[in-house]
Amino acid sequence: MTDDVKTHVKSKSTWTRLIYLILYGIIYRLAEIVLLAITIVQFLKSLLTGSPFTRLQSFGGALAEYNKQLVAFLSYQSDEKPFPVGPWPPEPEIEKADEVIIVAEKADETPPPKKSTNTKKTDDPKKDTGPETT
């Protein structure tokens, strides 16, 4: 083994990272279960009342950000430790959509006049000759 490998194997930070990887791997699996529960509850509430729980929507957004932080740490994209060592991500603001009412108007019974298709147009307005004559 080279000196670099020996240094990395003996490094306390490498083994500490392993402990965090195991911890956050377990937390990630638990977060998947929580997400499944939120999904089922939101669907049932939406099915019965027509709208989901606003508070759960907000928590779901924070959970999504937390999962992103977990994946970044587990895949070595980030060295920042997520919750419970780091802070819990803030809950995003949920925008409520305005209700839109669409009113269909009765169409006119007379169709619009058809345009003549035998007109010839060019890019140059001076050369536009109008309708073709044969």
Side-chain angles (χ1 to χ4, degrees):
M1 287 200 292
T2 65
D3 288 336
D4 284 343
V5 174
K6 286 180 184 179
T7 305
H8 294 301
V9 169
K10 292 179 180 180
S11 171
K12 183 180 176 182
S13 65
T14 301
W15 295 106
T16 304
R17 176 87 180 209
L18 175 64
I19 293 170
Y20 281 117
L21 290 174
I22 292 169
L23 171 72
Y24 285 127
I26 293 168
I27 291 173
Y28 183 76
R29 299 302 288 192
L30 292 173
E32 287 179 330
I33 295 169
V34 171
L35 177 62
L36 178 63
I38 290 172
T39 302
I40 292 170
V41 168
Q42 290 290 66
F43 175 76
L44 292 175
K45 170 83 166 53
S46 180
L47 181 68
L48 298 175
T49 65
S51 64
F53 286 111
T54 306
R55 185 77 178 123
L56 268 181
Q57 277 181 312
S58 184
F59 177 73
L63 183 62
E65 183 62 32
Y66 181 62
N67 281 337
K68 180 181 172 186
Q69 291 174 0
L70 285 172
V71 170
F73 184 80
L74 290 170
S75 64
Y76 282 77
Q77 291 180 352
S78 172
D79 289 332
E80 292 183 35
K81 295 171 187 71
F83 180 83
V85 176
W88 181 259
E91 295 181 357
E93 298 269 337
I94 302 296
E95 295 181 22
K96 288 194 171 194
D98 294 332
E99 291 187 23
V100 177
I101 299 174
I102 299 173
V103 179
E105 294 182 20
K106 187 174 181 180
D108 293 336
E109 293 182 13
T110 58
K114 292 185 178 180
K115 293 184 178 180
S116 175
T117 58
N118 62 354
T119 61
K120 186 177 180 182
K121 298 274 183 180
T122 63
D123 290 339
D124 189 3
K126 294 178 185 175
K127 292 183 179 179
D128 190 10
T129 59
E132 276 187 42
T133 56
T134 52

